[in-house]
Amino acid sequence: MRRIAAIIGVAVLSMGLAACGDDDETGSGGTTTTGTEGELPDLGGEEVTVAVENAYLPFNYIDPATKEGAGWDYDAWRAICETINCTPVFTEAAWDGMIQAVADGQFDAAADGITITSERAEVVDFSDGYISVKQRLLVRKGEDRFASADDITADTSLKIGTQTGTTNYETAVELWGDSRIQAFEQFPVAVQALLNEDVDVVIMDETAGLGYVGENREQLELVGPSLSSDELGFIFPKGSDLVASVNAALAALRDDGTLDELAEKYFTEEFQITYDDLE
């Protein structure tokens, strides 16, 4: 990854928050809020530990110029905490095990482009969704053996790559069975396997796929229709008081245009950092 093309429209991110902020919820700190019309919660400067992978452009990464954490997650959580008076403490954690670590209370929250699913909601609480993404097929440029999920189903010789522990992996297994799937710990490794012809296709979120295409225009392309549409949210330990407060902040940031500004910054051609820059 990653040069993000303008696939996620600003309106999409705003629409994803249309249901934010239930009425009369009480967040951590005790201040009652009624969406963005009443008072927002005040957490009194409380520190909130936020797990990030620092390996998922443009959501989170280590900036090659400053050597500091950066990305959509960092800016969004700083804006959230500015809105409800808290202090984000970002902590690097591997994706594998991140959800369980939050469930176990090792972190107050996690931000890593996490898809909202009913299975995950059994062990963690989700914020309101803040963006929707599609799953797509990434292939080598000029691939003519298949162009859709149905074609992959028909040709059982095709090998599918993706990242372990993701909804992309779950979709691949549901469509083609785990015997045909080669799972990797990180998407950059899966894409390299595709370039090396060790796998024939990689299933991933469209935002990620477009980043790889932007970086390897002569070698990679996305094909076929969307396999699914996923909504992303932050996660918290079950029963966390932070959920209501963060939802109220997200609603306020949607209404004042902050989330639109972040979408323009990170999900358009304005964002120029690629995984090559991070190496």
Side-chain angles (χ1 to χ4, degrees):
M1 300 182 194
R2 172 93 123 224
R3 187 179 176 196
I4 297 298
I7 188 61
I8 298 184
V10 171
V12 174
L13 190 140
S14 297
M15 289 171 62
L17 288 166
C20 286
D22 293 339
D23 288 346
D24 300 323
E25 292 181 320
T26 302
S28 177
T31 302
T32 300
T33 179
T34 54
T36 56
E37 297 181 358
E39 288 187 87
L40 287 165
D42 185 338
L43 304 191
E46 172 185 337
E47 288 191 350
V48 179
T49 56
V50 183
V52 290
E53 188 180 7
N54 283 336
Y56 192 35
L57 289 169
F59 290 100
N60 51 72
Y61 57 95
I62 299 300
D63 189 294
T66 65
K67 308 303 180 185
E68 300 290 333
W72 190 94
D73 290 331
Y74 282 86
D75 284 1
W77 265 96
R78 288 180 179 126
I80 287 168
C81 278
E82 183 176 348
T83 302
I84 56 177
N85 189 19
C86 60
T87 303
V89 179
F90 299 100
T91 304
E92 185 171 313
W95 165 249
D96 185 22
M98 183 184 292
I99 294 175
Q100 190 59 51
V102 172
D104 292 342
Q106 296 180 34
F107 306 103
D108 296 319
D112 208 54
I114 303 171
T115 301
I116 299 172
T117 70
S118 57
E119 181 180 3
R120 290 172 177 172
E122 292 179 0
V123 296
V124 293
D125 284 342
F126 277 94
S127 70
D128 291 329
Y130 56 78
I131 201 167
S132 295
V133 296
K134 298 177 180 179
Q135 295 187 38
R136 296 287 302 281
L137 301 174
L138 183 70
V139 301
R140 292 185 291 274
K141 193 83 169 180
E143 177 62 70
D144 58 6
R145 294 171 296 168
F146 61 92
S148 69
D150 288 343
D151 294 339
I152 296 173
T153 300
D155 187 349
T156 58
S157 69
L158 298 173
K159 298 178 181 178
I160 303 100
T162 191
Q163 182 175 359
T164 185
T166 64
T167 52
N168 307 121
Y169 174 82
E170 294 170 3
T171 297
V173 171
E174 181 180 346
L175 289 173
W176 304 298
D178 55 11
S179 64
R180 298 180 62 187
I181 312 304
Q182 187 168 351
F184 300 88
E185 291 188 3
Q186 293 187 333
F187 273 119
V189 183
V191 173
Q192 190 58 54
L194 176 63
L195 291 169
N196 292 342
E197 302 187 14
D198 295 324
V199 297
D200 300 294
V201 58
V202 171
I203 178 173
M204 61 169 54
D205 292 342
E206 188 169 37
T207 51
L210 283 165
Y212 282 112
V213 170
E215 184 180 339
N216 302 277
R217 293 182 184 278
E218 303 304 316
Q219 297 175 283
L220 299 171
E221 61 183 336
L222 291 166
V223 299
S226 169
L227 303 179
S228 71
S229 181
D230 296 327
E231 193 171 26
L232 308 184
F234 303 124
I235 61 171
F236 307 84
K238 294 293 286 185
S240 172
D241 291 338
L242 282 170
V243 177
S245 297
V246 170
N247 283 344
L250 285 171
L253 296 172
R254 173 201 65 207
D255 290 348
D256 70 12
T258 298
L259 292 179
D260 288 347
E261 293 174 4
L262 292 182
E264 182 68 23
K265 178 179 179 180
Y266 288 106
F267 299 117
T268 72
E269 292 288 349
E270 182 177 330
F271 187 74
Q272 297 290 315
I273 295 175
T274 73
Y275 274 99
D276 281 348
D277 298 323
L278 307 185
E279 295 176 354

